[in-house]
Amino acid sequence: MGLLRLVLGDQLSHDIAALEGIDPGRDVVLMAEVMGECTYVPHHKQKLVLVLSAMRHFAEELRARGIPVDYIRLDDPDNTGTLSGELARAVARHRPAGIVATFPGEWRVLEAMRGWEEVLGLPVDIREDVRFLCPLPRFRRWAQGRRQLRMEFFYREMRREAGLLMDPDGPVGGQWNYDAENRRRLEPGTMPPPPRRFPPDPVTQGVMDLVAARFPGNFGTLDAFAWPVTAAEAEAVLADFIAHRLSRFGDYQDAMAAGEPILFHALVSTSLNLGLLSPRACCEAAEAAFRAGRAPLNAVEGFIRQILGWREYVRGLYWLKMPDYARLNALEANRPLPWSWWGGETRMNCLKQVVRQTRDLAYAHHIQRLMVTGNFALLAGLDPAQVNEWYMAVYADAFEWVELPNTHGMAIHADGGIIASKPYAASGAYINRMSDYCRLCAYDVKAATGPEACPMNALYWDFIARHERRFSANPRMAMPLQTLRKMAPEKRDALRAQAAAFLAGPEMRPEA
Ligand code: FAD
Ligand code: SF4
């Protein structure tokens, strides 16, 4: 017998390392749907359907290429429920000479993999995941000896190495970063083109029935499921984005609007994270649109920075800092998640909009995740472990290597500044500037105290006051600290009392 080649649910790429050199006459691919992976966090129903359906489609594509696949379904009566259990059963069935796997996307899974050789008594070859543009040893070399690991400097090196948006004498346009141009609010009457959608085919429909029956209590609805589940569909989503939305991606990257969940975003994270799309292909398609004069530089640079910069950077950081990173709680936050995050009543329109669309689509774009839920979690001092679990649970693209640094690092500063040099804290004014949420809100964004005052305002000043000592050491926090210190003591007390009343009130009722 040849080798048993393991392909996990987020490794659905035909060039995945575990399949390299496969001998279809001797080797077998193992793919297994297991309860342990479906339940280690209470995933959104759409995420479960997405991963299981994409796995089933990928197995069919392998078979069509003549590659034998041993595929274990979730409802197989002998299914042990764990990856290790299914591997042991497959070893007993096929008696392979060894196991070949690809480096996983989570510390938890790597830990399990490391024990397999001993448990199974077979050689286990864990190969590097070559789908990323920055190999992990390369990231470690970049990080070595640096006092600060800022994304911007990593990104510039990646641009040079990948040769993306480069002229012979430096970055195209003379600047590395055009973020300052990417902060427009959506003007009334601007109509983002509807994204490409895929109604469920019979395979997806079968998985939807399974998920509806097995996970009825999980967060989210399935009605609007339209995620790409094959590489061909993922490529169609990318092409649709490049043709219809990329040109305004930059301008409206930070905008938010009620009833417009996607705006000009790409909707490619699920496909990238499952392996249906390659990061290089996304960047090259965007650059080609720029070179052909179909998209401006601020849009294309912004898009490439997200993928070549942020995406590669957070992955490198995750593997550099785990497992300790998951336990960091630099701001000593410990408040439980409020019920409103799981769909409970709230008068805060910004939160209501983001949670509602998350329930319906398993999607929110970056600024919604960062500046609405993330900002609220930061200001209210929500427990990092619960915040992390929520983000892992509710988004279709959530995999720990990318979710955890974004949550603990970028959104709630639990890592004490490893990723962001200062907390992304904002009052209601930011949300009012970048969205129309406040116009339709029961609270008054211009008020900081009183029964109708926007909670983000008092929470913001309470947050700054709560961490005054810690932030004194951070020059980037000088401005809010100065304002706080100049504030009349009565005003400061009133703001803190307002925040305390909100935090003790019905909006913060913990999860039922
Ligand atoms: P676009 O806005 O169109 O961006 C294009 C691509 O760039 C994305 O598909 C993604 O692959 C990449 N990208 C953009 N921003 C980031 C970032 N900060 N980190 C890594 N990649 C980025 N992204 C995930 O893929 N999975 C997650 O679980 C996840 N959790 C997040 C949690 C928080 C608190 C925050 C603030 C961000 C999180 N992100 C996560 C990053 C980002 O919000 C999503 O990648 C993006 O919203 C996906 O939608 P899109 O494909 O339309 O992205
Ligand atoms: Fe959110 Fe405050 Fe605006 Fe209401 S007023 S939408 S709570 S920021």
Side-chain angles (χ1 to χ4, degrees):
M1 172 63 196
L3 299 167
L4 188 62
R5 294 175 180 263
L6 179 68
V7 173
L8 303 179
D10 59 352
Q11 298 180 343
L12 309 180
S13 317
H14 288 286
D15 60 355
I16 193 79
L19 297 181
E20 206 195 316
I22 189 166
D23 177 349
R26 290 163 49 83
D27 299 350
V28 172
V29 173
L30 174 68
M31 294 181 71
E33 301 172 359
V34 292
M35 210 46 158
E37 293 304 308
C38 293
T39 54
Y40 73 95
V41 292
H43 303 285
H44 194 294
K45 292 191 189 87
Q46 290 197 26
K47 182 178 174 196
L48 290 168
V49 172
L50 169 68
V51 177
L52 299 183
S53 174
M55 284 174 73
R56 291 182 185 193
H57 280 92
F58 187 72
E60 282 317 307
E61 287 177 13
L62 290 178
R63 286 185 182 126
R65 292 173 178 215
I67 296 173
V69 183
D70 185 359
Y71 194 96
I72 312 300
R73 287 181 178 237
L74 196 66
D75 46 8
D76 177 334
D78 297 324
N79 193 325
T80 55
T82 66
L83 213 49
S84 303
E86 285 316 295
L87 196 62
R89 283 208 311 138
V91 165
R93 272 195 305 277
H94 302 290
R95 309 221 161 272
I99 292 158
V100 185
T102 309
F103 197 83
E106 288 193 15
W107 178 267
R108 179 183 62 83
V109 180
L110 183 64
E111 287 286 271
M113 279 186 172
R114 283 180 173 149
W116 285 347
E117 253 185 23
E118 197 181 322
V119 174
L120 301 169
L122 281 173
V124 178
D125 177 8
I126 304 173
R127 297 179 175 174
E128 189 184 333
D129 191 341
V130 291
R131 297 171 302 169
F132 290 88
L133 289 150
C134 180
L136 294 176
R138 167 76 187 90
F139 188 87
R140 247 177 261 121
R141 273 201 313 281
W142 173 78
Q144 212 158 32
R146 278 175 199 264
R147 216 166 44 83
Q148 291 186 322
L149 302 177
R150 294 291 164 249
M151 196 290 294
E152 184 62 28
F153 299 110
F154 167 76
Y155 166 60
R156 291 177 191 181
E157 286 195 15
M158 290 302 290
R159 281 270 296 277
R160 280 197 202 93
E161 276 174 27
L164 284 160
L165 277 187
M166 294 301 294
D167 280 340
D169 53 348
V172 170
Q175 259 173 251
W176 291 102
N177 183 319
Y178 290 84
D179 208 26
E181 294 176 29
N182 292 357
R183 292 180 191 150
R184 260 168 82 174
R185 184 190 160 100
L186 195 76
E187 294 86 9
T190 311
M191 305 280 280
R196 185 80 198 269
R197 322 261 305 153
F198 299 93
D201 68 3
V203 174
T204 301
Q205 193 56 59
V207 179
M208 284 168 83
D209 296 342
L210 176 76
V211 167
R214 294 280 178 113
F215 305 93
N218 283 34
F219 182 70
T221 56
L222 280 174
D223 311 333
F225 184 94
W227 292 106
V229 292
T230 64
E233 289 179 353
E235 278 152 25
V237 166
L238 175 65
D240 175 67
F241 166 70
I242 300 282
H244 303 298
R245 297 196 303 286
L246 172 64
S247 60
R248 284 184 284 173
F249 171 84
D251 289 352
Y252 300 114
Q253 196 174 349
D254 289 2
M256 299 179 278
E260 292 290 353
I262 315 295
L263 292 169
F264 295 92
H265 290 273
L267 285 184
V268 291
S269 54
T270 55
S271 302
L272 280 166
N273 297 349
L274 292 183
L276 305 177
L277 268 184
S278 98
R280 180 173 273 282
C282 291
C283 295
E284 285 176 352
E287 176 163 8
F290 167 71
R291 301 266 182 205
R294 293 197 305 271
L297 187 54
N298 69 313
V300 172
E301 187 282 317
F303 180 69
I304 289 179
R305 176 162 22 93
Q306 303 313 310
I307 294 178
L308 179 68
W310 281 110
R311 188 169 185 271
E312 298 287 331
Y313 166 81
V314 297
R315 176 175 183 257
L317 211 109
Y318 175 84
W319 287 108
L320 190 70
K321 298 290 180 188
M322 282 296 278
D324 298 341
Y325 196 81
R327 292 190 285 269
L328 296 178
N329 186 0
L331 299 182
E332 294 166 28
N334 55 16
R335 198 174 298 282
L337 231 57
W339 171 233
S340 53
W341 281 45
W342 294 107
E345 205 33 60
T346 172
R347 294 171 71 216
M348 298 177 68
N349 191 40
C350 49
L351 206 56
K352 196 186 306 184
Q353 294 286 336
V354 174
V355 172
R356 194 178 286 167
Q357 88 171 55
T358 298
R359 177 198 65 195
D360 295 343
L361 303 175
Y363 177 84
H365 66 69
H366 186 68
I367 290 298
Q368 295 176 307
R369 297 187 208 195
L370 182 65
M371 297 311 292
V372 176
T373 41
N375 184 43
F376 182 80
L378 173 74
L379 302 185
L382 303 187
D383 173 27
Q386 291 191 31
V387 173
N388 174 38
E389 180 172 297
W390 185 82
Y391 278 98
M392 274 299 290
V394 303
Y395 291 113
D397 59 17
F399 294 88
E400 196 178 80
W401 65 266
V402 51
E403 177 275 343
L404 186 67
N406 268 297
T407 305
H408 275 197
M410 208 187 283
I412 60 172
H413 213 69
D415 70 358
I418 294 174
I419 288 191
S421 54
K422 75 178 184 73
Y424 280 92
S427 67
Y430 175 88
I431 293 174
N432 194 30
R433 191 162 63 247
M434 296 313 301
S435 78
D436 60 0
Y437 295 156
C438 303
R439 201 166 46 79
L440 309 163
C441 186
Y443 290 113
D444 177 2
V445 70
K446 298 268 190 293
T449 53
E452 301 310 325
C454 164
M456 294 287 199
N457 294 337
L459 287 176
Y460 174 79
W461 288 113
D462 186 57
F463 169 75
I464 303 290
R466 225 166 50 233
H467 298 291
E468 187 176 352
R469 264 218 357 241
R470 155 182 278 277
F471 294 157
S472 303
N474 184 343
R476 296 203 62 205
M477 294 302 283
M479 221 150 73
L481 282 179
Q482 207 177 28
T483 312
L484 181 81
R485 285 167 185 161
K486 279 192 192 151
M487 216 177 252
E490 316 79 69
K491 184 172 174 192
R492 188 176 164 146
D493 291 349
L495 283 168
R496 296 210 67 181
Q498 176 89 15
F502 177 82
L503 292 172
E507 292 265 4
M508 293 302 292
R509 201 183 111 203
E511 181 191 337

